[in-house]
Amino acid sequence: MHVVAVTRWGPPLEDELPELAARLGVVAYDLRLRLAGGLPAFFARVKDGTEAAGHVEFLRARGHGAVACDAAAVPGPEDQLVPVDFELSAT
């Protein structure tokens, strides 16, 4: 599995939603909910690197920043460091 993320918006998201939704075969409203948070924004999860590269090329051609990577390389919640205590000091 590979994931594709938007790293920078070129044209505004609202203007791009119809084309992006058509690319993924989803409803624009649902895609807006997925993409409207902060960046990087999760765009798609696909089976192979070739399909992921196609999505990245599509997004970049429309003026957006995009990256793709193997989903196994993306840290999950279980990999995050959660501090349980800290102390502020002069240094």
Side-chain angles (χ1 to χ4, degrees):
M1 295 296 275
H2 285 73
V3 292
V4 179
V6 177
T7 59
R8 175 184 46 80
W9 291 115
L13 174 59
E14 291 301 318
D15 297 344
E16 291 290 293
L17 273 172
E19 292 295 326
L20 299 178
R23 170 78 182 196
L24 296 177
V26 298
V27 177
Y29 176 81
D30 293 337
L31 185 59
R32 177 185 341 205
L33 293 176
R34 185 188 319 165
L35 297 176
L39 293 174
F42 171 74
F43 182 70
R45 178 175 298 195
V46 295
K47 291 185 180 184
D48 62 38
T50 304
E51 188 177 356
H55 285 312
V56 169
E57 184 178 320
F58 169 80
L59 289 164
R60 289 180 178 171
R62 297 190 65 80
H64 309 296
V67 295
C69 67
D70 187 333
V74 178
E78 67 280 354
D79 299 318
Q80 294 179 353
L81 177 64
V82 179
V84 291
D85 193 14
F86 66 92
E87 181 180 321
L88 298 174
S89 68
T91 58

